Amino acid sequence: MLVTTSSLNLVFNCSERPMSFDPTAKDLTVAVIGTGTMGRGIVQVAAQGGMRVIAYDEKPGAAMVAKDYIGKILAGLVDKGRVTAADAKASLDRIGIGHSLEDCAKADVVIEAIVERLDIKQSLFQRLDQLCDPKVILASNTSSLPVTAISAKCAHPERVGGMHFFNPVPVMKLVEVIGGLKTAPWVTDALTQIGRRMNRDPVMCIDSPGFIVNHVGRAYQTENPRILTEGIATHPEIDRILTGAPGFKLGPFALADMVGIDVGFPVMESIYEQFQHEPAYAPNPLTALRAAGGLYGQKTGAGWYDYKDGKRVDASLPPAPKKLPQSVWIWPSTSHADLIAPLAELFTKAGLTPETGDKPSDGALVVLCQIGYDLTTAIDDLKLDGKRTVSVDVLFGLKGPRTLMVTPAIDPAMRDAAHALLAADGQDVVVINDSPGYVAQRTVAMIVNVGCNIAQRQIASPADIDKGAKLGLGYPFGPLEWGDRIGPGRVLFILERLHAFYLDPRYKPSPWLKRRVMLGLPLTTPDGAH
Ligand code: NAI
């Protein structure tokens, strides 16, 4: 589209980068509109990145309050020796206060961080589009609204993109750069460079619900309430298991309480709606009930957990039983003997060397370490005695708390003996009810599958999906990288077992995963056509 710029009276094609726009320019000016939680963080990192900043908020005095706040944060960084006094002063001096949208229009890039309402954002962008020269980039920090919709009323939607920062901005290095349907490539390229100048680590994605990070996060936040709903484990048990061997920093329920169920639940609903009711992203009625009842988490003193003086009330696990079984037999597996070997060593150290026969002796505890299968199906397929058969999740190693799974057929004395044996070296054990993929296997398999679907839908590159999950969600590995570590074939098998058991489309494996398993390729392998 050919436009005439008002100030320079030059003619250029604004789908291409204007000659006069240089994201690396020393005097690049960034305007930030809305100086609340996010806006003030963006102002800080832009100023520390050497750019001039215009901070503006419609609330009179709010931008100045934000600048004072940033001054205190910088002073704290000087005290800790992280920033020199001269750099802190120079950063603060680069922050100017805007008094109107006209002031913001003088910037090279305008970043919006106002209230998350489409109608309000649309009118702001329409106004900015009228005020700003077409070479000025307009970016939104929206976390859940389509960038394409935000720019819908603009005459120049090609200069509108998304720049999604994470809270707290100065701490969280990640920024998602989003191209809407009409965003010109020079705009997303420039936003990526500007993000780097702010000392952020940018990832790029297309305009898709939840972008990368909130999309990947769906698996953790929806699969675990499912596990809870079925009575497989309690929410503190699920949190314990997932923060153990799999290595999550925070359990899904503690995380939901920390974010606030009043914030997290609407995001769940919005992403589910925007994906036209994709079964894998369906919010859970148990979470809905807490949202409806005002049990929002830490901030209300009750959510999934109760809080006393701001601290989570967390009951400790009951002491492990002491009486070991008379003998133990482990189902021999050819597919993952390497994962089972440490369990046999553990039992031997506890004084009970596993039997070596083809079948368990009479009265022996039978231990399975199946991957994907629920225990009931395994007992049925292998014609085992349900009263004395248990299973242990070994996929992520034996760091505690260990997961011991039983069926309704179990003899309680055998269950307790298995618990005693598994806890003999002092590690915690969580006893759960039957589930295809225990707790950890199905949670991680779902994360890998969502990551594969994001790749399959061409929302972002495999590398950016993995980076987004690690930096934005603090996962130990990105979804695709994690799938490759576990083995893509194992992930596919877990999903197939979940799918076969529940007959629920939420577990259908991603085509990305299936193809790479069949071709023997890593999950990080891009598609071939382009
Ligand atoms: P906030 O409520 O802390 O701050 C919003 C600020 O915008 C307020 O100071 C308000 O006075 C100002 N404002 C509202 N309407 C305005 C307008 N029309 N013109 C100028 N200023 C206006 O909100 P917060 O949390 O900073 O969120 C801002 C945006 O960032 C939202 O789009 C949100 O979805 C997004 N976001 C929020 C994250 C968070 O964790 N809080 C994380 C990532 C994105």
Side-chain angles (χ1 to χ4, degrees), residues 7 81 117 155 252 315 360-361 390 411 449 501:
S7 55
R117 281 248 319 260
S361 64
V390 300
D411 171 350
N449 203 39
F501 186 84

Side-chain angles (χ1 to χ4, degrees), residues 197-335:
R197 285 188 68 181
M198 292 177 176
N199 198 19
R200 304 299 92 189
D201 211 340
V203 286
M204 270 182 139
C205 65
I206 60 165
D207 201 3
S208 168
F211 309 130
I212 300 174
V213 172
N214 281 336
H215 191 165
V216 175
R218 286 319 83 211
Y220 202 49
Q221 288 305 335
T222 62
E223 187 59 14
N224 286 293
R226 283 247 166 174
I227 293 171
L228 179 68
T229 311
E230 252 185 74
I232 291 165
T234 65
H235 67 268
E237 287 172 338
I238 295 170
D239 278 359
R240 278 203 169 97
I241 291 168
L242 293 171
T243 51
F248 290 96
K249 286 187 184 143
L250 211 53
F253 298 98
L255 176 66
D257 274 5
M258 194 187 81
V259 170
I261 292 169
D262 56 328
V263 175
F265 188 65
V267 173
M268 267 188 200
E269 283 187 309
S270 154
I271 291 180
Y272 181 57
E273 289 302 322
Q274 290 183 65
F275 273 113
Q276 311 295 333
H277 294 194
E278 170 89 34
Y281 307 145
N284 188 280
L286 291 182
T287 316
L289 188 64
R290 277 175 168 72
L295 283 83
Y296 296 154
Q298 276 174 14
K299 66 174 90 164
T300 53
W304 289 104
Y305 293 89
D306 286 334
Y307 294 83
K308 208 169 168 210
D309 302 326
K311 287 208 170 130
R312 192 168 76 212
V313 180
D314 214 349
S316 49
L317 284 169
K322 293 276 177 249
K323 191 163 183 277
L324 299 183
Q326 63 177 52
S327 53
V328 62
W329 182 83
I330 303 178
W331 178 267
S333 158
T334 46
S335 65

Side-chain angles (χ1 to χ4, degrees), residues 33-34 36-38 57-58 113-114 116 121 141 143 164-165 167:
I33 303 186
T37 310
M38 296 303 289
D57 197 290
E58 69 170 5
I114 67 164
E116 186 76 343
K121 285 198 199 280
N141 181 48
S143 47
H164 181 217
F165 293 83
N167 187 17

Side-chain angles (χ1 to χ4, degrees), residues 331 373-384 497:
W331 178 267
Y373 276 105
D374 63 297
L375 185 53
T376 303
T377 302
I379 288 172
D380 188 40
D381 281 359
L382 303 172
K383 306 285 168 254
L384 295 168
R497 293 314 313 162

